[in-house]
Amino acid sequence: MTENRVLLNRRTLMRGTAVGLLAAPALVGKGLAQGAVTWRVQSHWPKASSSFNDSLGMFAKEVERRTDGAFKMTLLGDGEFAKGTDIYNIVRRGVVPMGTISPSYIQDNAQAASFLYGIPGTLRESWEMQHVVKNLGIEALVNEDLAKEGTMALAEKVLPTELTLTKNVTSVSDFQGLKIRSSGTMMDFLSMAGAAPQYVPGSELYQALSSGVVDGAHWGAAVGAQSMSLWEVCKYHVKPPIAQTTDAYVVNLKALEALDDEMRTAFMDAAETRFYRRSIEYVHAEAVALSEGQRDNNLQVIHLPDEVMSMMSEASRKVMDKEAERGERAAKAADIYRGLMTDMGYI
């Protein structure tokens, strides 16, 4: 498949999505059930994670509904076939047609992937991240690179990233050297701010925390920590968020192109619609989860000392500058961030 053809197909798909969003979500004709499709979907979420059911599970049900049962998905939890950073490669090779990932896993595949994941210390509200991803072009910049590899990323939702810790932090010395499970640009950010981040797959995170391998983690924010039972060992939850981030679906383009036109449109339309719905759901769910954590787990909500926040602010600037140097599309992504941040009075 040539690069031009891949890009043309992507533009055609996205036009189809826009048309679908303007129309009522009619079901695909029952006749398609004779050519039914089942996709295996390898998730980076363990089955214990709320997003496995409430994000991926609900998306699969929506696609099945829109296609009148013709398009089904077999959902695999993290590690069932592949895990973490290995998921993108099995989708790219066509071993499975679809997976879920953190965009931080594909920083070496797409110049603007870090901006799709979220640059810490920049955007503050969910709607701001939704806007830069879908309306201002971050997702499209990522897909300019991924199309060359025969894949496409579709942002699944916006969620805050917050630290949950086994230790309280009351000074710079408490924060320095703190072992925090992290990934992508967040690792650079935390390292520059004085912590000692390291990557741990989701399926191994609880054990790593309970055994002291790491002192804390970010797995989304309150919803993620609660669903993964992290508050059983982590009694300190840090506010405010250190970033607005996204999860993403990654899709093999050959598999997508092989779908019937109506089925493909139903898939793309469902992904776009669920992105906004799930992002809004998540804002509500975060408030509920945090209240429950304080009530049921004796969770303490803490704020980092001003000196640590100052170090984080400087780290954020350095991360943005570093990521902008990845290439032309990364530089465009940085300009998109800076433009909105200027409009909001953040810089």
Side-chain angles (χ1 to χ4, degrees), residues 5 9 12-17 19-20 26-29 32 35 37 63 66-67 70-71 253-270:
R5 182 186 164 198
N9 284 335
T12 301
L13 290 172
M14 297 310 291
R15 283 200 301 270
T17 301
V19 172
L27 297 175
V28 175
L32 282 180
V37 171
V63 171
R66 287 172 181 261
T67 59
F71 192 162
L253 283 178
K254 286 185 178 179
L256 191 61
E257 292 165 1
L259 296 174
D260 176 278
D261 287 347
E262 290 181 282
M263 196 177 291
R264 188 187 313 116
T265 298
F267 175 88
M268 295 293 290
D269 184 30

Side-chain angles (χ1 to χ4, degrees), residues 234-248:
C234 295
K235 297 302 181 182
Y236 302 96
H237 194 87
V238 180
K239 285 283 190 179
I242 56 176
Q244 295 291 332
T245 59
T246 68
D247 284 315

Side-chain angles (χ1 to χ4, degrees), residues 265-288:
T265 298
F267 175 88
M268 295 293 290
D269 184 30
E272 196 80 356
T273 302
R274 280 295 302 167
F275 169 78
Y276 292 105
R277 289 182 178 176
R278 184 63 178 141
S279 296
I280 295 300
E281 290 172 3
Y282 218 88
V283 174
H284 181 196
E286 278 292 307
V288 173

Side-chain angles (χ1 to χ4, degrees), residues 218-234:
H218 57 81
W219 188 265
V223 171
Q226 183 185 52
S227 68
M228 296 281 281
S229 301
L230 304 188
W231 289 335
E232 291 180 4
V233 288
C234 295

Side-chain angles (χ1 to χ4, degrees), residues 115-240:
F115 295 88
L116 181 59
Y117 174 53
I119 302 296
T122 57
L123 306 179
R124 303 177 185 178
E125 303 290 341
S126 176
W127 76 263
E128 297 169 357
M129 190 65 171
Q130 294 175 47
H131 189 40
V132 299
V133 167
K134 293 291 187 177
N135 298 336
L136 300 183
I138 297 294
E139 184 181 85
L141 287 170
V142 169
N143 282 325
E144 286 184 26
D145 280 330
L146 295 189
K148 301 168 188 176
E149 299 190 345
T151 62
M152 172 186 284
L154 298 168
E156 182 272 320
K157 67 174 173 295
V158 170
L159 68 160
T161 290
E162 296 172 355
L163 299 178
T164 186
L165 306 172
T166 60
K167 304 176 181 179
N168 197 3
V169 175
T170 61
S171 65
V172 170
S173 61
D174 288 340
F175 189 76
Q176 288 179 335
L178 204 62
K179 296 175 291 185
I180 300 174
R181 181 271 174 200
S182 186
S183 64
T185 51
M186 211 67 70
M187 293 187 74
D188 294 338
F189 170 72
L190 291 169
S191 180
M192 290 175 187
Q198 54 188 278
Y199 176 72
V200 177
S203 55
E204 302 170 15
L205 179 54
Y206 183 91
Q207 179 62 29
L209 285 164
S210 60
S211 63
V213 172
V214 292
D215 304 313
H218 57 81
W219 188 265
V223 171
Q226 183 185 52
S227 68
M228 296 281 281
S229 301
L230 304 188
W231 289 335
E232 291 180 4
V233 288
C234 295
K235 297 302 181 182
Y236 302 96
H237 194 87
V238 180
K239 285 283 190 179

